[in-house]
Amino acid sequence: MKNLAIRSLSGIVLAVVMLGAIVWSPWSYGALFAALLVAGMLEFYALAAARGAAPQRLLGLTAGLLLFGLGFLFASEGIRVGDTRPLLCALALLLLLFPAMFVCELYRKQENPAANIGTTIAGLFYVALPCMLVCFFPTFSASGWDPRITVAYVLIVWANDVFAYLSGMTLGRHKLFERLSPKKSWEGFFGGLAGAVAAGLGAACWLDASYGAWAGLALVAAVTAVAGDLAESMFKRAAGVKDSGALIPGHGGALDRFDAMLLSAPFVFVYMIFVL
């Protein structure tokens, strides 16, 4: 009961802080996902290190924040960067960081340089890229920057998680992916899809948008969110840990809480480009 209380309280605080930061301003929006990027990349690199790799944390974080900053400045409505030369300089530095990883590895004297470079770059694609793409979600609106689109996406992912848990607990009989997550069931999977679609239809009503488009978005988000949860379980099992970190009391680390969104965000971004 004590653990449930801690988990519930921290979950409420997290939801309030997260949704508040999303809607408050573009700058609070950017700060939220930049913080998620740093925490997520550090946790991913720790999981990789547990299996013997030695990722270049500093270079990886620098590249991730540069990538995020470039995306955020291009996406944020009302932010004027003026002269394009600072952006071009940041982009050039970002491009140089990739070959710099190979140069740095020459002097680290590690046993498996390919794994070190690979895990460093993997952290960018697994954590930094999705965080950057989420910056563009509010721009898929005819009226300019509309953070309600991101709020709707977050609620869809959360609805999928909640309904999957409730359906799995009450109806779960057939294992979904027992090797990585013994508690997940097909009944929970389809229950989560139903909850996500219901949330998507609610979002369409709230945003005065197409019901079909948002129902489709909810399906894309829900299916890929489950894959995201399984992917993080794969990394944790390989590292031999229960949680990726201890950042959020009762929930574990940033990856434990946002693993679903990290993998689903690129798919949802592409869906938005073609459908919304």
Side-chain angles (χ1 to χ4, degrees):
M1 291 299 295
K2 181 180 179 181
N3 184 60
L4 178 61
I6 294 174
R7 182 179 176 87
S8 300
L9 180 60
S10 63
I12 292 171
V13 172
L14 176 64
V16 171
V17 170
M18 184 173 181
L19 297 178
I22 289 173
V23 302
W24 183 261
S25 74
W27 291 108
S28 62
Y29 188 104
L32 170 70
F33 286 100
L36 173 60
L37 181 153
V38 172
M41 289 190 70
L42 286 175
E43 290 178 6
F44 176 76
Y45 288 152
L47 293 176
R51 291 298 297 169
Q56 300 176 25
R57 288 176 170 85
L58 182 58
L59 271 180
L61 282 174
T62 302
L65 287 171
L66 273 173
L67 177 66
F68 178 85
L70 286 170
F72 176 71
L73 288 175
F74 278 115
S76 300
E77 182 70 17
I79 296 177
R80 298 291 180 262
V81 294
D83 190 357
T84 58
R85 281 176 294 180
L87 284 177
L88 292 176
C89 290
L91 179 60
L93 181 58
L94 175 63
L95 294 176
L96 286 177
L97 285 175
F98 287 97
M101 295 178 188
F102 291 81
V103 176
C104 288
E105 200 63 35
L106 294 174
Y107 299 94
R108 299 181 76 209
K109 300 179 181 179
Q110 297 289 327
E111 293 183 358
N112 197 341
N116 301 339
I117 296 171
T119 52
T120 303
I121 296 174
L124 293 173
F125 283 95
Y126 181 49
V127 182
L129 179 63
C131 289
M132 185 269 284
L133 294 178
V134 171
C135 290
F136 288 91
F137 285 11
T139 66
F140 287 92
S141 170
S143 59
W145 181 271
D146 188 352
R148 294 183 303 163
I149 294 176
T150 305
V151 171
Y153 163 69
V154 170
L155 293 179
I156 286 171
V157 174
W158 286 353
N160 174 68
D161 189 41
V162 170
F163 278 83
Y165 174 78
L166 295 176
S167 301
M169 287 291 292
T170 56
L171 304 172
R173 296 293 184 276
H174 303 87
K175 301 299 182 182
L176 175 66
F177 212 115
E178 190 171 9
R179 177 171 61 87
L180 295 178
S181 187
K183 294 183 179 180
K184 290 191 183 301
S185 66
W186 281 105
E187 291 82 0
F189 173 76
F190 288 112
L193 290 186
V197 171
L201 295 175
C205 180
W206 180 36
L207 299 170
D208 193 24
S210 167
Y211 285 91
W214 274 89
L217 186 150
L219 284 173
V220 171
V223 172
T224 53
V226 174
D229 186 64
L230 291 172
E232 202 234 351
S233 295
M234 174 178 65
F235 294 136
K236 289 191 295 185
R237 281 185 172 270
V241 298
K242 181 179 181 294
D243 296 320
S244 63
L247 180 65
I248 308 169
H251 292 268
L255 294 183
D256 295 313
R257 186 66 274 173
F258 298 101
D259 53 356
M261 294 199 322
L262 288 176
L263 201 69
S264 71
F267 290 94
V268 172
F269 174 75
V270 172
Y271 178 89
M272 287 180 172
I273 290 176
F274 288 101
V275 179
L276 292 191

